[in-house]
Amino acid sequence: MPTQSLQIPTADGQADAFAAFPGEGERHPGVLMYPDGFGSRPVLREMAEELAGHGYFVLVPNIFYRHGPAPVLELPDHIGEEARPAIFAELMPMIEAHTTERILRDADAYLEFLTTRPEVAPGPVAVTGYCIGGLLATHTAAAHPGRVAALAGFHAPVGAAGPGSLQRLTARTHFGHAESDLTPEALGELNKTLDAAGLEYTSEIYPGTVHGFTMADTDAFDPAGLRHHWDSLLALLDRAL
């Protein structure tokens, strides 16, 4: 599976990134994959390669590039509960500094870079993300309805995008929520907003999961939840791209 290390020009500098894609000399639908709050690391590369194996060009930016190249934080191979307090003490200032204005400026740059790659087929692309990356994906899709045909977010605070952004969505959408993140009542309220937008979407709680269930390098990992995620994501992309 070919991979590339890349530099994305942005309004605020250069964002390092990596891409995975099926092969040389062909063009494939593009997918912008936003990492979770722990950032770009080997497990994200593995997930990008898995998705690329299904026929997609997958671009994963370092969303915290303003603080240095990935990995911005020194992370253990396995992120257990005992490591989280120290990691979050470093991580939260970076997350708090990543304002909506920065998110949208970066989204412009990421999409421009992705859609002009010679390996990417012409036409709309997909955005997907995990944890905070799902929120970034939602903002990106809302700001670029003509360029984004599919949106997916997993264990992500997508409701934090706000009704205004959610109602601007036009992409086919799948949200896979952790059981620990969202009550059935909160899911109902979110889905009412998506209904009002007239979307073709699925938005569901994955049974028995906790926040971070897709990430194999954390204690939250749930193999059944990850399989459900792949089934849902691939079905969405197959319909939309």
Side-chain angles (χ1 to χ4, degrees):
M1 185 68 59
T3 61
Q4 291 180 347
S5 295
L6 300 165
Q7 293 288 324
I8 304 173
T10 77
D12 297 327
Q14 295 277 329
D16 53 303
F18 64 83
F21 48 97
E24 303 287 352
E26 299 179 11
R27 305 183 78 181
H28 308 279
V31 180
L32 174 60
M33 177 183 283
Y34 286 109
D36 65 351
F38 294 124
S40 299
R41 58 195 193 284
V43 72
L44 268 298
R45 187 177 294 272
E46 292 167 8
M47 294 174 79
E49 291 176 352
E50 172 74 18
L51 184 54
H54 292 274
Y56 299 97
F57 181 100
V58 186
L59 178 67
V60 184
N62 169 20
I63 60 175
F64 299 127
Y65 70 88
R66 293 175 180 85
H67 304 273
V72 178
L73 299 182
E74 186 174 342
L75 297 171
D77 292 338
H78 183 83
I79 304 169
E81 288 302 317
E82 70 286 348
R84 286 176 179 263
I87 293 171
F88 276 101
E90 294 185 76
L91 185 61
M92 289 311 296
M94 291 190 288
I95 292 176
E96 291 166 357
H98 205 59
T99 61
T100 301
E101 290 74 19
R102 284 185 171 185
I103 292 168
L104 294 177
R105 286 203 304 272
D106 288 347
D108 291 346
Y110 298 157
L111 287 179
E112 179 65 20
F113 186 86
L114 176 63
T115 56
T116 56
R117 294 294 302 176
E119 305 93 344
V120 174
V125 300
V127 293
T128 185
Y130 304 90
C131 179
I132 187 177
L135 176 59
L136 272 57
T138 302
H139 278 303
T140 300
H144 297 274
R147 301 176 86 175
V148 176
L151 162 66
F154 300 93
H155 48 86
V158 294
S165 287
L166 293 172
Q167 290 173 4
R168 289 198 299 273
L169 292 173
T170 60
R172 286 188 172 96
T173 297
H174 175 77
F175 293 141
H177 310 284
E179 193 173 277
S180 67
D181 283 348
L182 205 65
T183 65
E185 293 75 19
L187 176 66
E189 289 302 312
L190 172 64
N191 290 353
K192 283 181 184 178
T193 303
L194 301 177
D195 287 336
L199 291 182
E200 179 180 329
Y201 77 93
T202 53
S203 174
E204 59 180 318
I205 294 172
Y206 285 24
T209 58
V210 298
H211 182 75
F213 62 83
T214 61
M215 295 294 142
D217 62 350
T218 74
D219 284 351
F221 178 57
D222 182 90
L226 179 65
R227 288 194 299 272
H228 189 175
H229 143 276
W230 282 124
D231 290 345
S232 299
L233 179 58
L234 291 170
L236 173 72
L237 299 180
D238 185 59
R239 291 195 305 272
L241 298 182

